[in-house]
Structure formats: C-alpha cells, structure tokens
Amino acid sequence: TNGVTGVPNYVNPGAVDFHLTSGDTIAKGAGVNLTSTYPFLKADKDGVKRPLIGPWNIGAYEGASGSRPNPMPAAPLNLNVK
C-alpha cells in the first residue's frame, strides 16, 4: 500500500467505475512506478500511458473517467448472421 491510508475518491463505485475523481488526495500519485520491473504495465486498464518517471496513481487507472485514448467502437445493433 506504499504507506497510504484512507479511502480513495472513486467516480462511481456503485456502478463499478473505479476511476479516481479529480479531487482525490489519497491515491493520485501515491503508487509505485513499476515501469522498469514490469514494462508491460506502461499503460493503465484504459490504455492511458503511465508516467515513465515519478509515481503512479494507485489502482488500475492512471487517467480520469472517460480519458480512454481510443474508445471502443459501439457494438452493432442489428447484426444478422447467415
């Protein structure tokens, strides 16, 4: 936990949105930079690049909610398979 105590401010945990709010003071910049040990972790779960130097945010997301660099396209609504 890197010596951090408290509850991070999530966007909407009830809707399973565990992005940090812009006002979070617990988890932002409080993580450990693992770039040199685990280079495959250079981006968060949304594909947002984590800093190469300096601390990361604690958790799966470095960016704020909706900060995904390349959003997934919408699923087709009327797909017919023949």
Side-chain angles (χ1 to χ4, degrees):
T1 62
N2 202 25
V4 175
T5 59
V7 178
N9 290 320
Y10 297 117
V11 170
N12 190 350
V16 195
D17 185 351
F18 292 104
H19 291 86
L20 299 173
T21 65
S22 59
D24 178 76
T25 58
I26 303 290
K28 282 195 178 207
V32 175
N33 187 323
L34 300 172
T35 303
S36 61
T37 309
Y38 303 102
F40 59 89
L41 292 176
K42 60 186 171 189
D44 73 4
K45 192 173 178 197
D46 282 340
V48 174
K49 291 184 180 179
R50 293 191 183 265
L52 296 177
I53 300 171
W56 292 353
N57 291 344
I58 292 176
Y61 302 104
E62 190 65 34
S65 180
S67 62
R68 173 177 268 186
N70 297 311
M72 297 282 290
L77 299 176
N78 55 356
L79 182 64
N80 294 317
V81 179
K82 296 181 181 186

PDB file of all heavy atoms in Angstrom, residues 19 40-50 60-64 67-71:
ATOM      1  N   HIS A  19     -12.434   4.655 -11.474  1.00  0.00           N
ATOM      2  CA  HIS A  19     -11.519   5.733 -11.833  1.00  0.00           C
ATOM      3  C   HIS A  19     -11.470   6.691 -10.651  1.00  0.00           C
ATOM      4  O   HIS A  19     -12.465   6.842  -9.932  1.00  0.00           O
ATOM      5  CB  HIS A  19     -12.003   6.485 -13.071  1.00  0.00           C
ATOM      6  CG  HIS A  19     -11.923   5.695 -14.328  1.00  0.00           C
ATOM      7  ND1 HIS A  19     -12.923   4.842 -14.736  1.00  0.00           N
ATOM      8  CD2 HIS A  19     -10.949   5.629 -15.265  1.00  0.00           C
ATOM      9  CE1 HIS A  19     -12.578   4.288 -15.885  1.00  0.00           C
ATOM     10  NE2 HIS A  19     -11.385   4.748 -16.224  1.00  0.00           N
ATOM     11  N   PHE A  40       5.396  -4.148 -19.300  1.00  0.00           N
ATOM     12  CA  PHE A  40       4.078  -4.341 -19.915  1.00  0.00           C
ATOM     13  C   PHE A  40       2.994  -3.551 -19.186  1.00  0.00           C
ATOM     14  O   PHE A  40       1.886  -3.419 -19.679  1.00  0.00           O
ATOM     15  CB  PHE A  40       3.706  -5.826 -19.986  1.00  0.00           C
ATOM     16  CG  PHE A  40       3.667  -6.507 -18.636  1.00  0.00           C
ATOM     17  CD1 PHE A  40       2.499  -6.529 -17.886  1.00  0.00           C
ATOM     18  CD2 PHE A  40       4.798  -7.117 -18.127  1.00  0.00           C
ATOM     19  CE1 PHE A  40       2.456  -7.158 -16.654  1.00  0.00           C
ATOM     20  CE2 PHE A  40       4.765  -7.757 -16.894  1.00  0.00           C
ATOM     21  CZ  PHE A  40       3.594  -7.765 -16.149  1.00  0.00           C
ATOM     22  N   LEU A  41       3.296  -2.974 -18.042  1.00  0.00           N
ATOM     23  CA  LEU A  41       2.330  -2.171 -17.288  1.00  0.00           C
ATOM     24  C   LEU A  41       2.464  -0.681 -17.603  1.00  0.00           C
ATOM     25  O   LEU A  41       2.013   0.152 -16.842  1.00  0.00           O
ATOM     26  CB  LEU A  41       2.531  -2.374 -15.781  1.00  0.00           C
ATOM     27  CG  LEU A  41       2.193  -3.745 -15.227  1.00  0.00           C
ATOM     28  CD1 LEU A  41       2.524  -3.815 -13.745  1.00  0.00           C
ATOM     29  CD2 LEU A  41       0.739  -4.072 -15.453  1.00  0.00           C
ATOM     30  N   LYS A  42       3.048  -0.333 -18.751  1.00  0.00           N
ATOM     31  CA  LYS A  42       3.271   1.081 -19.058  1.00  0.00           C
ATOM     32  C   LYS A  42       1.986   1.838 -19.383  1.00  0.00           C
ATOM     33  O   LYS A  42       1.999   3.050 -19.544  1.00  0.00           O
ATOM     34  CB  LYS A  42       4.295   1.246 -20.169  1.00  0.00           C
ATOM     35  CG  LYS A  42       3.927   0.594 -21.466  1.00  0.00           C
ATOM     36  CD  LYS A  42       5.075   0.681 -22.448  1.00  0.00           C
ATOM     37  CE  LYS A  42       4.771  -0.177 -23.659  1.00  0.00           C
ATOM     38  NZ  LYS A  42       5.919  -0.284 -24.518  1.00  0.00           N
ATOM     39  N   ALA A  43       0.873   1.139 -19.474  1.00  0.00           N
ATOM     40  CA  ALA A  43      -0.433   1.785 -19.670  1.00  0.00           C
ATOM     41  C   ALA A  43      -1.418   1.202 -18.665  1.00  0.00           C
ATOM     42  O   ALA A  43      -1.266   0.074 -18.206  1.00  0.00           O
ATOM     43  CB  ALA A  43      -0.938   1.558 -21.091  1.00  0.00           C
ATOM     44  N   ASP A  44      -2.423   2.003 -18.331  1.00  0.00           N
ATOM     45  CA  ASP A  44      -3.428   1.517 -17.387  1.00  0.00           C
ATOM     46  C   ASP A  44      -4.472   0.665 -18.097  1.00  0.00           C
ATOM     47  O   ASP A  44      -4.347   0.360 -19.279  1.00  0.00           O
ATOM     48  CB  ASP A  44      -4.063   2.690 -16.617  1.00  0.00           C
ATOM     49  CG  ASP A  44      -5.005   3.534 -17.449  1.00  0.00           C
ATOM     50  OD1 ASP A  44      -5.265   3.221 -18.625  1.00  0.00           O
ATOM     51  OD2 ASP A  44      -5.509   4.539 -16.905  1.00  0.00           O
ATOM     52  N   LYS A  45      -5.511   0.289 -17.384  1.00  0.00           N
ATOM     53  CA  LYS A  45      -6.540  -0.608 -17.925  1.00  0.00           C
ATOM     54  C   LYS A  45      -7.286  -0.002 -19.116  1.00  0.00           C
ATOM     55  O   LYS A  45      -7.793  -0.718 -19.967  1.00  0.00           O
ATOM     56  CB  LYS A  45      -7.521  -0.973 -16.811  1.00  0.00           C
ATOM     57  CG  LYS A  45      -8.445  -2.094 -17.165  1.00  0.00           C
ATOM     58  CD  LYS A  45      -9.265  -2.531 -15.977  1.00  0.00           C
ATOM     59  CE  LYS A  45     -10.205  -3.627 -16.430  1.00  0.00           C
ATOM     60  NZ  LYS A  45     -11.282  -3.840 -15.517  1.00  0.00           N
ATOM     61  N   ASP A  46      -7.327   1.333 -19.198  1.00  0.00           N
ATOM     62  CA  ASP A  46      -7.978   2.012 -20.317  1.00  0.00           C
ATOM     63  C   ASP A  46      -7.010   2.277 -21.477  1.00  0.00           C
ATOM     64  O   ASP A  46      -7.415   2.798 -22.500  1.00  0.00           O
ATOM     65  CB  ASP A  46      -8.544   3.362 -19.871  1.00  0.00           C
ATOM     66  CG  ASP A  46      -9.846   3.229 -19.109  1.00  0.00           C
ATOM     67  OD1 ASP A  46     -10.511   2.185 -19.229  1.00  0.00           O
ATOM     68  OD2 ASP A  46     -10.197   4.179 -18.395  1.00  0.00           O
ATOM     69  N   GLY A  47      -5.734   1.969 -21.280  1.00  0.00           N
ATOM     70  CA  GLY A  47      -4.744   2.249 -22.312  1.00  0.00           C
ATOM     71  C   GLY A  47      -4.078   3.603 -22.157  1.00  0.00           C
ATOM     72  O   GLY A  47      -3.290   4.016 -22.995  1.00  0.00           O
ATOM     73  N   VAL A  48      -4.374   4.324 -21.067  1.00  0.00           N
ATOM     74  CA  VAL A  48      -3.741   5.612 -20.800  1.00  0.00           C
ATOM     75  C   VAL A  48      -2.317   5.343 -20.307  1.00  0.00           C
ATOM     76  O   VAL A  48      -2.111   4.542 -19.395  1.00  0.00           O
ATOM     77  CB  VAL A  48      -4.531   6.412 -19.738  1.00  0.00           C
ATOM     78  CG1 VAL A  48      -3.803   7.690 -19.359  1.00  0.00           C
ATOM     79  CG2 VAL A  48      -5.930   6.703 -20.236  1.00  0.00           C
ATOM     80  N   LYS A  49      -1.331   6.005 -20.929  1.00  0.00           N
ATOM     81  CA  LYS A  49       0.068   5.776 -20.560  1.00  0.00           C
ATOM     82  C   LYS A  49       0.335   6.260 -19.145  1.00  0.00           C
ATOM     83  O   LYS A  49      -0.106   7.324 -18.734  1.00  0.00           O
ATOM     84  CB  LYS A  49       0.994   6.491 -21.537  1.00  0.00           C
ATOM     85  CG  LYS A  49       0.972   5.863 -22.902  1.00  0.00           C
ATOM     86  CD  LYS A  49       1.969   6.536 -23.816  1.00  0.00           C
ATOM     87  CE  LYS A  49       1.913   5.864 -25.172  1.00  0.00           C
ATOM     88  NZ  LYS A  49       2.848   6.472 -26.122  1.00  0.00           N
ATOM     89  N   ARG A  50       1.072   5.431 -18.405  1.00  0.00           N
ATOM     90  CA  ARG A  50       1.506   5.812 -17.069  1.00  0.00           C
ATOM     91  C   ARG A  50       2.827   6.565 -17.194  1.00  0.00           C
ATOM     92  O   ARG A  50       3.563   6.386 -18.160  1.00  0.00           O
ATOM     93  CB  ARG A  50       1.686   4.571 -16.198  1.00  0.00           C
ATOM     94  CG  ARG A  50       0.373   3.854 -15.898  1.00  0.00           C
ATOM     95  CD  ARG A  50       0.588   2.811 -14.826  1.00  0.00           C
ATOM     96  NE  ARG A  50      -0.606   2.046 -14.547  1.00  0.00           N
ATOM     97  CZ  ARG A  50      -1.471   2.321 -13.570  1.00  0.00           C
ATOM     98  NH1 ARG A  50      -1.287   3.371 -12.813  1.00  0.00           N
ATOM     99  NH2 ARG A  50      -2.517   1.557 -13.366  1.00  0.00           N
ATOM    100  N   ALA A  60      -5.979   0.534 -10.940  1.00  0.00           N
ATOM    101  CA  ALA A  60      -5.902   0.090 -12.333  1.00  0.00           C
ATOM    102  C   ALA A  60      -5.912   1.236 -13.328  1.00  0.00           C
ATOM    103  O   ALA A  60      -5.599   1.049 -14.491  1.00  0.00           O
ATOM    104  CB  ALA A  60      -7.070  -0.850 -12.627  1.00  0.00           C
ATOM    105  N   TYR A  61      -6.280   2.451 -12.879  1.00  0.00           N
ATOM    106  CA  TYR A  61      -6.445   3.564 -13.806  1.00  0.00           C
ATOM    107  C   TYR A  61      -5.524   4.729 -13.467  1.00  0.00           C
ATOM    108  O   TYR A  61      -5.473   5.179 -12.330  1.00  0.00           O
ATOM    109  CB  TYR A  61      -7.888   4.068 -13.794  1.00  0.00           C
ATOM    110  CG  TYR A  61      -8.880   2.993 -14.143  1.00  0.00           C
ATOM    111  CD1 TYR A  61      -9.659   2.392 -13.169  1.00  0.00           C
ATOM    112  CD2 TYR A  61      -9.028   2.566 -15.454  1.00  0.00           C
ATOM    113  CE1 TYR A  61     -10.564   1.397 -13.491  1.00  0.00           C
ATOM    114  CE2 TYR A  61      -9.930   1.572 -15.791  1.00  0.00           C
ATOM    115  CZ  TYR A  61     -10.693   0.996 -14.802  1.00  0.00           C
ATOM    116  OH  TYR A  61     -11.580   0.014 -15.123  1.00  0.00           O
ATOM    117  N   GLU A  62      -4.815   5.214 -14.474  1.00  0.00           N
ATOM    118  CA  GLU A  62      -3.986   6.407 -14.311  1.00  0.00           C
ATOM    119  C   GLU A  62      -4.791   7.652 -14.654  1.00  0.00           C
ATOM    120  O   GLU A  62      -4.635   8.689 -14.035  1.00  0.00           O
ATOM    121  CB  GLU A  62      -2.763   6.322 -15.232  1.00  0.00           C
ATOM    122  CG  GLU A  62      -1.725   7.388 -14.971  1.00  0.00           C
ATOM    123  CD  GLU A  62      -1.064   7.286 -13.621  1.00  0.00           C
ATOM    124  OE1 GLU A  62      -0.864   6.168 -13.098  1.00  0.00           O
ATOM    125  OE2 GLU A  62      -0.739   8.343 -13.059  1.00  0.00           O
ATOM    126  N   GLY A  63      -5.654   7.557 -15.647  1.00  0.00           N
ATOM    127  CA  GLY A  63      -6.447   8.700 -16.082  1.00  0.00           C
ATOM    128  C   GLY A  63      -7.779   8.777 -15.372  1.00  0.00           C
ATOM    129  O   GLY A  63      -8.173   7.881 -14.634  1.00  0.00           O
ATOM    130  N   ALA A  64      -8.477   9.861 -15.640  1.00  0.00           N
ATOM    131  CA  ALA A  64      -9.810  10.059 -15.066  1.00  0.00           C
ATOM    132  C   ALA A  64     -10.833   9.284 -15.874  1.00  0.00           C
ATOM    133  O   ALA A  64     -10.547   8.799 -16.957  1.00  0.00           O
ATOM    134  CB  ALA A  64     -10.155  11.538 -15.065  1.00  0.00           C
ATOM    135  N   SER A  67     -11.236   9.024 -19.908  1.00  0.00           N
ATOM    136  CA  SER A  67      -9.996   9.500 -20.514  1.00  0.00           C
ATOM    137  C   SER A  67      -9.355   8.463 -21.425  1.00  0.00           C
ATOM    138  O   SER A  67      -8.211   8.589 -21.793  1.00  0.00           O
ATOM    139  CB  SER A  67      -9.003   9.899 -19.423  1.00  0.00           C
ATOM    140  OG  SER A  67      -8.666   8.783 -18.626  1.00  0.00           O
ATOM    141  N   ARG A  68     -10.089   7.462 -21.780  1.00  0.00           N
ATOM    142  CA  ARG A  68      -9.577   6.417 -22.655  1.00  0.00           C
ATOM    143  C   ARG A  68      -9.125   7.043 -23.973  1.00  0.00           C
ATOM    144  O   ARG A  68      -9.874   7.754 -24.616  1.00  0.00           O
ATOM    145  CB  ARG A  68     -10.668   5.372 -22.897  1.00  0.00           C
ATOM    146  CG  ARG A  68     -10.314   4.340 -23.920  1.00  0.00           C
ATOM    147  CD  ARG A  68     -11.408   3.336 -24.029  1.00  0.00           C
ATOM    148  NE  ARG A  68     -11.062   2.274 -23.114  1.00  0.00           N
ATOM    149  CZ  ARG A  68     -11.722   1.154 -22.994  1.00  0.00           C
ATOM    150  NH1 ARG A  68     -12.786   0.933 -23.681  1.00  0.00           N
ATOM    151  NH2 ARG A  68     -11.327   0.243 -22.161  1.00  0.00           N
ATOM    152  N   PRO A  69      -7.865   6.775 -24.404  1.00  0.00           N
ATOM    153  CA  PRO A  69      -7.355   7.428 -25.600  1.00  0.00           C
ATOM    154  C   PRO A  69      -8.029   6.976 -26.887  1.00  0.00           C
ATOM    155  O   PRO A  69      -8.219   7.761 -27.793  1.00  0.00           O
ATOM    156  CB  PRO A  69      -5.879   7.055 -25.602  1.00  0.00           C
ATOM    157  CG  PRO A  69      -5.784   5.825 -24.785  1.00  0.00           C
ATOM    158  CD  PRO A  69      -6.904   5.903 -23.784  1.00  0.00           C
ATOM    159  N   ASN A  70      -8.391   5.732 -26.986  1.00  0.00           N
ATOM    160  CA  ASN A  70      -9.049   5.188 -28.174  1.00  0.00           C
ATOM    161  C   ASN A  70     -10.280   4.416 -27.726  1.00  0.00           C
ATOM    162  O   ASN A  70     -10.216   3.221 -27.509  1.00  0.00           O
ATOM    163  CB  ASN A  70      -8.114   4.256 -28.943  1.00  0.00           C
ATOM    164  CG  ASN A  70      -6.899   4.987 -29.456  1.00  0.00           C
ATOM    165  OD1 ASN A  70      -7.019   6.032 -30.058  1.00  0.00           O
ATOM    166  ND2 ASN A  70      -5.724   4.443 -29.197  1.00  0.00           N
ATOM    167  N   PRO A  71     -11.417   5.096 -27.573  1.00  0.00           N
ATOM    168  CA  PRO A  71     -12.602   4.399 -27.079  1.00  0.00           C
ATOM    169  C   PRO A  71     -13.023   3.264 -28.001  1.00  0.00           C
ATOM    170  O   PRO A  71     -12.822   3.313 -29.205  1.00  0.00           O
ATOM    171  CB  PRO A  71     -13.679   5.468 -27.037  1.00  0.00           C
ATOM    172  CG  PRO A  71     -13.098   6.691 -27.617  1.00  0.00           C
ATOM    173  CD  PRO A  71     -11.658   6.475 -27.903  1.00  0.00           C
TER     174      PRO A  71
END
